[in-house]
């Protein structure tokens, strides 16, 4: 099954880069049918849904991805068998910071900047109201699209707006990543965090 999913993921990437976004989406959905707990599939489907301007699907995929990332961490904390690198970071957190989190595993949201970044781009960039209210984000929405499309146009789009990769990184760090982290803290279904049935939890709702 893993080989089948890997093949579908590879085919989806190739289709996405060639501009066949619907075909890529269908590959990822087929991969989910084969392995509904594969985190990489949700991430890939989320990016493709974003490029298709399917905001709701993109956001749900990123929620599912993060849920699957956090689920074993929550179990590891409860059973006191976290992997060493996570245990070190977890034990360095102040007790008051841990107490403010919805679940102890939520600390890992702040270790992963990519998922909050992707999620916030879907929240902001796919909302005309948000972009009209914050027009300075419009170039970054186009730059982000080129980045996740992966067709080699990213540098050209950056240059067309007179921006650099450092500008993009700074905007992600200042605006998108914190917004995505806050959204995840609020919208993850924490009461079900040890379940991996993310299709029922997020995609069927």
């Amino acid at each position: 099954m893993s080989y089948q999913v890997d093949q579908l993921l590879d085919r989806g990437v190739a289709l996405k880069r060639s501009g066949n976004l619907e075909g890529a989406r269908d590959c990822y959905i087929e991969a989910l049918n084969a392995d509904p707990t594969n985190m990489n599939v949700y991430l890939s489907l989320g990016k493709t849904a974003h490029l298709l301007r399917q905001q709701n699907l993109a956001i749900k995929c990123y929620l599912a991805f993060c849920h699957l990332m956090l689920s074993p961490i929550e179990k590891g904390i409860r059973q006191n068998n976290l992997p060493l690198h996570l245990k070190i970071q977890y034990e360095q957190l102040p007790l008051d910071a841990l107490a403010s989190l919805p679940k102890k595993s939520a600390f890992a949201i702040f270790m992963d900047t990519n998922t909050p970044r992707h999620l916030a781009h879907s929240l902001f960039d796919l909302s005309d109201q948000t972009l009209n209210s914050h027009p300075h984000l419009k170039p970054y929405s186009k730059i982000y699209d080129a980045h996740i499309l992966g067709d080699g146009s990213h540098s050209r789009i950056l240059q067309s707006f007179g921006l650099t990769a450092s500008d993009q990184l700074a905007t992600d760090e200042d605006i998108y990543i914190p917004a995505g982290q806050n959204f995840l803290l609020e919208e993850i279904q924490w009461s079900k965090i040890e379940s991996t049935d993310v299709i029922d939890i997020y995609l069927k709702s």
Side-chain angles (χ1 to χ4, degrees):
M1 184 177 294
S2 177
Y3 178 70
Q4 177 192 3
V5 170
D6 288 345
Q7 282 190 314
L8 288 166
L9 282 168
D10 289 344
R11 177 165 170 74
V13 169
L15 289 169
K16 182 188 70 170
R17 288 177 177 170
S18 71
N20 186 351
L21 298 176
E22 291 84 1
R25 178 195 57 202
D26 292 346
C27 275
Y28 298 139
I29 290 173
E30 186 178 347
L32 277 188
N33 288 331
D35 185 358
T37 60
N38 188 302
M39 293 172 61
N40 290 329
V41 179
Y42 289 101
L43 187 61
S44 297
L45 181 56
K47 292 177 185 178
T48 302
H50 178 98
L51 292 168
L52 285 165
R53 326 317 282 174
Q54 295 175 348
Q55 184 187 51
N56 192 46
L57 177 59
I59 290 171
K60 288 182 175 184
C61 285
Y62 296 135
L63 284 168
F65 175 93
C66 193
H67 187 114
L68 289 171
M69 176 188 75
L70 295 171
S71 184
I73 296 175
E74 187 67 30
K75 290 178 183 177
I77 293 171
R78 179 170 54 79
Q79 297 170 356
N80 195 29
N81 63 357
L82 273 180
L84 181 59
H85 70 287
L86 290 175
K87 182 178 176 66
I88 291 171
Q89 297 192 52
Y90 175 72
E91 291 179 346
Q92 288 176 343
L93 290 172
L95 290 177
D96 57 341
L98 277 175
S100 70
L101 298 174
K103 286 283 187 178
K104 292 178 179 179
S105 58
F107 83 94
I109 288 174
F110 299 96
M111 296 167 47
D112 166 34
T113 57
N114 265 329
T115 312
R117 175 173 65 94
H118 291 311
L119 193 153
H121 272 285
S122 290
L123 281 172
F124 293 170
D125 300 356
L126 301 182
S127 166
D128 290 338
Q129 181 179 355
T130 299
L131 290 182
N132 289 334
S133 300
H134 304 279
H136 62 287
L137 295 180
K138 289 183 179 181
Y140 293 100
S141 71
K142 302 295 184 185
I143 292 165
Y144 174 77
D145 284 357
H147 183 68
I148 62 171
L149 182 59
D151 66 347
S153 64
H154 179 240
S155 295
R156 176 174 55 80
I157 300 298
L158 270 172
Q159 291 173 3
S160 73
F161 288 111
L163 296 168
T164 66
S166 295
D167 295 324
Q168 181 185 8
L169 179 62
T171 301
D172 279 342
E173 290 178 343
D174 292 344
I175 298 174
Y176 286 98
I177 292 171
Q181 289 168 336
N182 288 333
F183 185 89
L184 287 168
L185 288 173
E186 293 175 2
E187 298 299 327
I188 289 285
Q189 296 298 303
W190 296 105
S191 64
K192 302 175 182 178
I193 196 61
E194 292 195 32
S195 168
T196 58
D197 192 5
V198 291
I199 288 182
D200 276 344
I201 295 171
Y202 298 104
L203 274 75
K204 288 186 177 179
S205 59

